[in-house]
Amino acid sequence: MTRTKQKIETDFFRQLDRFTFSVRKRVSTVYAGNRPSTRSGHGIDTIGFREYDQSDELKDIDWKAYARTEKLYVRQFEEEKTLTTHILLDSSKSMDYPGYGISKFEYAAMLAAGYAYMVTKYNDRFAISTFGEDVDIRKPRRGKKNLLRTIDHLSELELTGGTSIAESVAKYSREIKSRSLVILISDFLEEPEAVESAVYRLSDHDLILIQVLDPTEKKLPLEGNSKLIDLETGEEIRTYVSEKFRENYLEKLDDHSARIRKACLKVGAEFYTFTTDTPIFDAFYHTIRRRRR
């Protein structure tokens, strides 16, 4: 069954306020001295200019530079560090599971919205882009209005098609202008080589991978003659689920996740797995607690 509207709860945002500092601490520690600010201000030393981007605000344009060059530039400052957060959210049909209760996509979208909410606390830029067979690229912007518009967009999103994570990340990576925080959220039920390719391509960034699974995918509570349906292709598979079958399935799933985790460890990325019955606040607590330094 295809959902006509995604249910994305935001009540947990208030619980995240206490963790904003730990995220900010991580940002200031990792990026201090490495990245110039992209924002303008007063009483801060200017270290240069860069060309205006559509995501910049008009008030940040240096009009004197425009008068001299007839090109739009914004000033860069030495002391005010900002962080752009890019969140890539899997919107393929496999995320529309199960057909009742909370789906993998709804849970993943709440994670994405929660991270974006924390980013807005310091008026840093973020984008939540979705991908399946292709990627819908959203430009990073600031503010709670941007967050609310993004949540509305995700709530109306129709999940279709398969997943091409390697191709989507390859296309999206060209849009990242500087070292950033990148959060990739998916069930990662794709060939491990494709996921590894995405990890290595994003390895220059502060990278987090979050795998979202339904509890039934972790336990396979089936027995006897069963009909399985591939949500992305519609293919039906009839099989007999024995205890041995279940053991083999769970072993392959663990091996798949372990391979992704190994790729993340190689590049210094973080990898987490949550099932949709994990309270959303608990998932955030686990990831944020691990990132405190």
Side-chain angles (χ1 to χ4, degrees), residues 130-146:
T130 55
F131 70 94
E133 294 176 347
D134 198 2
V135 58
D136 179 17
I137 298 174
R138 301 277 162 161
K139 291 290 185 181
R141 300 184 186 280
R142 298 183 176 93
K144 290 187 177 180
K145 288 184 179 180
N146 177 36

Side-chain angles (χ1 to χ4, degrees), residues 38 57 252:
T38 58
E57 298 183 19
K252 288 182 180 296

Side-chain angles (χ1 to χ4, degrees), residues 74-186:
V74 294
R75 289 178 178 268
Q76 293 181 291
F77 295 93
E78 186 173 21
E79 294 185 3
E80 186 179 347
K81 305 298 188 298
T82 63
L83 173 71
T84 299
T85 298
H86 298 267
I87 304 172
L88 289 169
L89 179 60
D90 187 346
S91 61
S92 64
K93 187 61 177 176
S94 72
M95 297 293 287
D96 194 20
Y97 178 79
Y100 55 89
I102 183 171
S103 71
K104 291 189 291 183
F105 179 81
E106 290 169 335
Y107 191 90
M110 285 190 284
L111 286 174
Y115 279 110
Y117 174 78
M118 288 190 286
V119 168
T120 64
K121 300 293 287 184
Y122 288 93
N123 201 34
D124 285 337
R125 296 190 302 169
F126 74 90
I128 301 179
S129 300
T130 55
F131 70 94
E133 294 176 347
D134 198 2
V135 58
D136 179 17
I137 298 174
R138 301 277 162 161
K139 291 290 185 181
R141 300 184 186 280
R142 298 183 176 93
K144 290 187 177 180
K145 288 184 179 180
N146 177 36
L147 176 59
L148 294 175
R149 286 193 297 267
T150 300
I151 293 173
D152 286 342
H153 169 70
L154 296 177
S155 297
E156 301 294 337
L157 199 63
E158 181 181 357
L159 309 185
T160 59
T163 312
S164 298
I165 188 170
E167 291 80 359
S168 295
V169 166
K171 184 180 294 186
Y172 191 90
S173 64
R174 294 192 287 270
E175 301 294 321
I176 304 179
K177 305 303 182 184
S178 60
R179 190 167 186 265
S180 305
L181 172 62
V182 180
I183 304 173
L184 189 55
I185 309 176
S186 171

